[in-house]
Amino acid sequence: MGVLPVPAEGRAILLDIEGTTTPIAFVQETLFPYIKDNVKEYLRAHWEEEECQRDVGLLRKQAQEDSSLAGAVPIPLESGSGEEELERVIQAVVDNVHWQMSLDRKTTALKQLQGHMWRAAYATGHVKGEIFEDVVPAIRKWREAGMKVYIYSSGSVEAQKLLFGYSTEGDILELFDGHFDTKIGPKVESESYRRIAASIGCNTNNILFLTDVPREANAAEEADTHVAVVIRPGNAGLTDDEKSYYSLISSFTELFLPSST
């Protein structure tokens, strides 16, 4: 590894989150367990609220679509016949959420409920977004050199903004020029990177994408986007072929911008 020059035509840096700006352990050992441990309490506390009912409605619709899948958990309708029935419906929602999470599903219904739960957790200080210590100083230098900086994550834009708005480094949302999630397209499809380039008003070869996932790097490369694979503690290992093929960095400080001498 060492110093990696940003391509001369580079105008924007596109960042993955998990395993790139943020330890994978934070997502796996803090964010997801928080949902599993607190979903029942959250539903009980917010059940009567319109937002919570919308979330449950989406989950119920998803459960109907999933009815043919092994282990799928249905969510019955509420008929209003008392506390016992309410507890039964809430438990069905809890069981459905746990089932979806056990399969690492990324349905809109699940992500929406998770996003609302995390919003409450961040706002009350129960959770703070973890950021690698090299991230903020490096992004400040990139921006001073005239680079635009964007986020592209499978987590929703709302969840991204919560992580960076309530981070261990404080509110750092000002460092980013925009956010993208899978509404723009899957991260393993090259067309997604073309859409991002069009959205931010540049060519794909004006973008440098930093990710820890070779499949994502490959998709970005197919769209003529520059890529570097980020090596962080806890990230999945790379094959020898991947190590020799991709540009690798272990810290954002290893990126060198020729215009920022």
Side-chain angles (χ1 to χ4, degrees):
M1 286 174 272
V3 173
L4 176 66
V6 172
E9 66 269 29
R11 300 288 179 271
I13 296 178
L14 184 65
L15 302 174
D16 169 51
I17 293 179
E18 187 179 351
T20 299
T21 66
T22 296
I24 282 179
F26 170 69
V27 177
Q28 295 180 344
E29 298 172 14
T30 298
L31 285 187
F32 288 139
Y34 180 86
I35 300 295
K36 290 179 181 176
D37 295 345
N38 292 280
V39 62
K40 181 181 281 190
E41 180 184 344
Y42 176 86
L43 290 168
R44 283 174 173 163
H46 299 276
W47 190 260
E48 300 299 329
E49 297 170 14
E50 186 179 336
E51 180 178 82
C52 186
Q53 283 302 305
R54 285 199 302 269
D55 292 347
V56 172
L58 266 186
L59 286 164
R60 186 178 282 121
K61 183 181 177 185
Q62 183 65 51
Q64 291 168 347
E65 293 174 10
D66 293 340
S67 59
S68 62
L69 299 180
V73 180
I75 301 174
L77 286 166
E78 208 183 338
S79 63
S81 59
E83 284 295 316
E84 190 172 318
E85 189 213 33
L86 175 60
E87 279 299 309
R88 183 170 61 85
V89 175
I90 287 176
Q91 187 60 52
V93 177
V94 172
D95 292 343
N96 179 278
V97 167
H98 286 181
W99 172 72
Q100 289 201 62
M101 293 182 69
S102 73
L103 299 176
D104 194 28
R105 301 189 76 204
K106 303 192 187 299
T107 63
T108 298
L110 177 62
K111 288 200 292 184
Q112 181 166 299
L113 175 67
Q114 289 173 330
H116 292 152
M117 287 187 64
W118 287 326
R119 182 182 63 200
Y122 281 115
T124 55
H126 285 100
V127 172
K128 282 188 181 293
E130 290 184 30
I131 312 290
F132 287 113
E133 63 181 14
D134 57 276
V135 170
V136 171
I139 293 177
R140 291 196 194 283
K141 285 185 177 179
W142 301 342
R143 290 177 64 86
E144 287 168 8
M147 299 292 287
K148 300 284 191 180
V149 182
Y150 298 88
I151 296 291
Y152 182 29
S153 173
S154 57
S156 69
V157 167
E158 182 180 23
Q160 297 172 28
K161 290 182 175 179
L162 288 169
L163 191 155
F164 294 116
Y166 296 92
S167 84
T168 49
E169 303 292 324
D171 181 350
I172 57 171
L173 284 171
E174 65 178 14
L175 297 180
F176 305 108
D177 295 281
H179 298 257
F180 299 95
D181 57 22
T182 51
K183 286 180 181 175
I184 200 98
K187 296 176 74 180
V188 293
E189 291 185 6
S190 58
E191 187 58 31
S192 304
Y193 300 90
R194 297 187 185 99
R195 292 192 192 112
I196 288 173
S199 175
I200 64 181
C202 68
N203 297 320
T204 50
N205 72 344
N206 298 137
I207 298 173
L208 172 63
F209 178 47
L210 304 185
T211 179
D212 63 310
V213 181
R215 283 185 67 210
E216 296 174 4
N218 185 57
E221 269 203 336
E222 285 179 0
D224 199 27
T225 300
H226 298 283
V227 299
V229 173
V230 184
I231 311 295
R232 297 287 199 183
N235 287 6
L238 302 177
T239 66
D240 288 341
D241 285 346
E242 289 166 346
K243 287 177 184 175
S244 62
Y245 178 77
Y246 290 109
S247 298
L248 308 176
I249 61 170
S250 60
S251 168
F252 285 6
T253 59
E254 294 170 12
L255 281 184
F256 173 69
L257 278 65
S259 59
S260 61
T261 52

